[in-house]
Structures are given as structure tokens and as C-alpha cells.
Amino acid sequence: MTREQLKKTLTVTKKQCMPKTGVTEEKVGRIEQGVFHEEKNVMCYVTCIYKSIQVVKNEKLNKELVVKQIDILYPADMRAAAKKSVAKCIGVQDNYNTECERVFYAARCLYEDDPPNFVFP
């Protein structure tokens, strides 16, 4: 899959998660560019996206599930870098108390660690 195909695939998920969490395009439309609004509904939107691609387990991003999805969905040239960021960022979740916070801050870490290989709808 190319980056564009991956992004298009994830757009379906975006259309499902936006109404569920009550977010606007203004609040979530630039996450892929590093604009992470620290608001509960935005945090839960990020969590909804990751839950829909089945990488959340026990209220946290699950490293093995994320790596498996990277292998399936990501273009070959992005996989190694994305996995490296996952290994670096997965522990960030342990600093937070709620599922939405854990997944949100792990996702923000993934962006901050490697913006060019961060894909988000």
C-alpha cells in the first residue's frame, strides 16, 4: 500500500470516529501535521481511530498489534522507521490514567519522534 492508499483507508475510520467523539475537522484535521489539541474529545477521537484498526488492548496501544498493522498497512519504505518510533513511544502510556490520554500521548510521541512517517486520518 502507498502512503496515499493508507491515508484513504484510514479516512473511512475518520468518518466513523468524528461523530462518535463529537470532534470537528478544525480540531482533528491537522493531527498528521503535529497539531494535537489536548482536549478530552480529541484524545478519545485518536483512541477511536486506533481502536478501529484493532491496535488497542487493555486500554493501551499494544506494541505487537501495532507492529502487525504496520507490516500489513504501511509502505515498505516506512515500516522500519515506524516500528522504531513505536518501540520508543509505547512506554509513554504508563504516565497516564485514562485510555484516551494513554493512546493520545503515545500517538503524539509517534509524531514527535518521526513526523515524516506518521500517518493519521
Side-chain angles (χ1 to χ4, degrees):
M1 215 184 276
T2 66
R3 183 187 183 104
E4 291 74 31
Q5 289 169 321
L6 171 57
K7 184 101 167 140
K8 191 173 184 180
T9 299
L10 292 174
T11 300
V12 173
T13 307
K14 179 178 187 174
K15 289 178 181 163
Q16 294 168 345
C17 289
M18 284 183 72
K20 279 185 190 175
T21 56
V23 295
T24 61
E25 182 65 29
E26 183 182 325
K27 291 289 183 186
V28 300
R30 296 189 52 233
I31 290 174
E32 192 174 50
Q33 289 79 44
V35 180
F36 287 82
H37 292 279
E38 292 186 49
E39 299 170 16
K40 186 176 194 277
N41 61 342
V42 174
M43 291 179 183
C44 291
Y45 166 77
V46 171
T47 303
C48 179
I49 296 291
Y50 284 115
K51 278 182 155 183
S52 68
I53 58 167
Q54 301 175 338
V55 296
V56 176
K57 184 176 179 182
N58 299 324
E59 299 193 343
K60 293 171 126 178
L61 282 181
N62 178 279
K63 184 179 177 187
E64 290 74 30
L65 295 175
V66 173
V67 167
K68 191 183 293 184
Q69 289 293 35
I70 289 170
D71 283 335
I72 293 168
L73 299 172
Y74 270 58
D77 63 327
M78 293 172 64
R79 289 180 194 147
K83 289 177 189 177
K84 185 177 168 198
S85 291
V86 169
K88 181 177 179 180
C89 292
I90 207 82
V92 165
Q93 300 176 103
D94 297 334
N95 299 322
Y96 300 94
N97 298 320
T98 69
E99 178 181 49
C100 292
E101 287 177 324
R102 287 185 202 112
V103 175
F104 175 85
Y105 287 110
R108 189 171 76 177
C109 177
L110 293 172
Y111 170 80
E112 290 171 350
D113 187 60
D114 186 9
N117 289 302
F118 182 76
V119 180
F120 201 84

